[in-house]
Amino acid sequence: MKEARKLKKMSQEKLGLEAEMEISTARSRISQYENDAVNPPFELVCKFADVLGMPESYFYTRDDAFAEKILSLYRIETEGRSDNKKSKKRAD
């Protein structure tokens, strides 16, 4: 999770707040998740994924090379969806 957060140039506190965590505990909880002291519940991982623009599966993949492939595929798919939306708006 730390790598994903740093890719987005986001602080621990900002990630926590955007994922709707309590302001008083956001930074420390993110730190615990990043250091594998505590595992976040799936629903919270989904919020992190939305905030960071990544698929949930990225956070559950142990192999870093495979995680990068998941992220690449996700980006291709999301770019394709936005291109389709743009084309549809032009047709209207």
Side-chain angles (χ1 to χ4, degrees):
M1 186 165 72
K2 185 176 190 175
E3 294 83 12
R5 178 179 60 78
K6 288 191 170 202
L7 275 173
K8 295 293 182 175
K9 297 179 174 140
M10 191 175 282
S11 69
Q12 290 175 332
E13 183 174 16
K14 182 171 171 100
L15 174 59
L17 294 177
E18 289 197 23
E20 301 173 354
M21 296 171 73
E22 297 270 336
I23 192 167
S24 61
T25 61
R27 192 205 56 75
S28 63
R29 285 179 59 196
I30 296 295
S31 178
Q32 289 176 336
Y33 299 146
E34 289 181 349
N35 292 311
D36 293 325
V38 178
N39 291 321
F42 180 73
E43 294 79 16
L44 188 53
V45 172
C46 291
K47 287 182 181 182
F48 295 148
D50 288 342
V51 169
L52 296 169
M54 299 184 166
E56 299 84 6
S57 57
Y58 176 85
F59 298 101
Y60 292 100
T61 304
R62 292 179 184 202
D63 182 282
D64 289 342
F66 190 66
E68 287 301 318
K69 290 180 184 200
I70 289 171
L71 190 54
S72 294
L73 180 60
Y74 179 78
R75 287 178 177 152
I76 290 168
E77 287 295 315
T78 55
E79 287 172 9
R81 282 189 221 129
S82 72
D83 288 345
N84 286 341
K85 286 179 183 177
K86 289 177 187 174
S87 296
K88 187 176 179 183
K89 284 184 181 179
R90 286 186 204 136
D92 292 340

